[in-house]
């Protein structure tokens, strides 16, 4: 079940530490996304990237950072500035949307981060 | 503000009963709406999109612009339909999705 992978599946971190979540895709997709999933709140967009070396903040970017140095990879760093980092994190990728089309987003299996 | 509302956190039905998962949206302009589904231990995946007007696994959803709704319906629920369902709409020109809070559908034998 390849396509888009996330690692690790479970991650534990002490308060005050930064941690990086991995997201890799072999679908040749230009666009990649990071979402946070909390019970009762659905998915909220953290960051997205339409193309290599470019990314934009989503709705809840504070306390997070990303990079997009390679098309296949879009790692997310949860910094110590993120006040409530314990959550389930989902990565997704899609082709670049044309003016009159929607490109389906394909999701990874997720990483569950717990701050101790 | 662009928003998707799913008023029910949990919908519990018996096998063979009709199902309707509610979704309301607020969006200025012509919305593109979707239903995503997450089965137990599986990835979130696209179920259907309004623009395709298709039926997937017996589910249909009609966009009602007057009521700003996009409810998901199935006439006869099956146990394998038990999952988390998310309604979503596209925001802006960059394939950004805005998700509702989700509804858990539980189909009992």
């Amino acid at each position: 079940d390849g396509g888009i992978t996330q690692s690790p599946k479970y991650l534990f971190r002490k308060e005050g530490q930064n941690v990086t979540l991995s997201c890799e895709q072999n679908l040749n997709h230009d666009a990649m996304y990071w979402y946070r999933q909390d019970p009762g709140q659905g998915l909220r967009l953290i960051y997205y990237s339409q193309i290599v070396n470019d990314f934009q903040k989503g709705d809840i970017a504070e306390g997070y950072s990303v990079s997009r140095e390679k098309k296949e990879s879009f790692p997310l760093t949860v910094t110590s500035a993120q006040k409530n980092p314990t959550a389930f994190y989902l990565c997704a990728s899609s082709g670049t949307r044309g003016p009159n089309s929607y490109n389906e987003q394909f999701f990874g299996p997720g990483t569950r981060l717990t701050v101790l | 503000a662009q928003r998707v509302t799913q008023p029910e956190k949990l919908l519990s039905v018996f096998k063979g009963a009709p199902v309707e998962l509610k979704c309301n949206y607020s969006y200025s302009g012509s919305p593109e709406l979707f239903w995503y589904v997450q089965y137990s231990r599986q990835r979130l995946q696209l179920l259907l999109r309004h623009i395709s007007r298709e039926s997937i696994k017996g589910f249909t959803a009609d966009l009602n612009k007057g009521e700003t709704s996009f409810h998901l319906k199935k006439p006869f629920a099956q146990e394998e339909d038990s999952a988390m369902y998310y309604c979503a709409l596209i925001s802006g020109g960059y394939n950004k999705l805005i998700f509702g809070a989700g509804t858990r559908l539980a189909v009992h034998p």
Side-chain angles (χ1 to χ4, degrees):
Chain A
D1 192 16
I4 180 164
T5 58
Q6 292 183 242
S7 63
K9 189 173 181 180
Y10 299 98
L11 190 56
F12 297 89
R13 166 197 120 174
K14 292 182 180 179
E15 269 193 63
Q17 288 181 337
N18 292 357
V19 64
T20 297
L21 283 61
S22 168
C23 178
E24 305 277 332
Q25 53 99 1
N26 62 3
L27 301 169
N28 200 33
H29 283 164
D30 286 316
M32 296 186 76
Y33 314 81
W34 274 106
Y35 293 91
R36 173 181 169 136
Q37 189 176 27
D38 295 284
Q41 295 195 53
L43 280 75
R44 292 179 291 168
L45 183 64
I46 304 172
Y47 267 98
Y48 64 104
S49 168
Q50 296 297 302
I51 199 168
V52 175
N53 292 323
D54 186 46
F55 50 82
Q56 288 81 38
K57 292 182 179 180
D59 300 319
I60 55 165
E62 185 176 350
Y64 299 97
S65 65
V66 294
S67 63
R68 187 83 189 278
E69 297 175 2
K70 298 188 300 183
K71 188 175 186 177
E72 306 80 23
S73 179
F74 190 41
L76 173 74
T77 297
V78 184
T79 75
S80 55
Q82 169 49 233
K83 297 191 186 322
N84 186 21
T86 294
F88 190 62
Y89 291 87
L90 282 171
C91 180
S93 70
S94 73
T96 304
R97 184 187 186 202
N100 295 306
S101 65
Y102 166 70
N103 282 297
E104 179 180 348
Q105 291 187 21
F106 292 86
F107 285 82
T111 292
R112 185 166 298 281
L113 172 64
T114 302
V115 175
L116 304 172
Chain B
Q2 296 152 356
R3 188 183 302 120
V4 176
T5 303
Q6 294 180 251
E8 302 144 327
K9 289 185 178 179
L10 172 66
L11 185 61
S12 188
V13 301
F14 287 104
K15 177 182 173 181
V19 167
E20 181 177 43
L21 287 85
K22 292 185 173 16
C23 172
N24 290 91
Y25 67 90
S26 61
Y27 185 78
S28 55
S30 295
E32 291 185 60
L33 284 142
F34 310 85
W35 278 98
Y36 274 78
V37 61
Q38 190 168 26
Y39 300 102
S40 179
R41 298 190 188 87
Q42 293 188 28
R43 302 179 185 207
L44 190 64
Q45 58 187 288
L46 180 64
L47 179 63
L48 56 80
R49 62 192 77 178
H50 92 268
I51 201 167
S52 301
R53 302 183 66 82
E54 58 199 346
S55 173
I56 303 292
K57 298 184 179 183
F59 284 97
T60 59
D62 291 319
L63 179 63
N64 186 323
K65 291 186 179 181
E67 296 182 358
T68 60
S69 68
F70 188 56
H71 304 327
L72 184 67
K73 300 178 184 179
K74 185 169 183 177
F76 307 104
Q78 303 299 315
E79 289 179 67
E80 55 265 30
D81 295 329
S82 296
M84 195 74 182
Y85 291 81
Y86 293 96
C87 184
L89 64 78
I90 277 195
S91 170
Y94 291 108
N95 221 43
K96 286 171 55 179
L97 286 172
I98 295 176
F99 285 88
T103 297
R104 180 166 297 282
L105 174 63
V107 182
H108 303 285

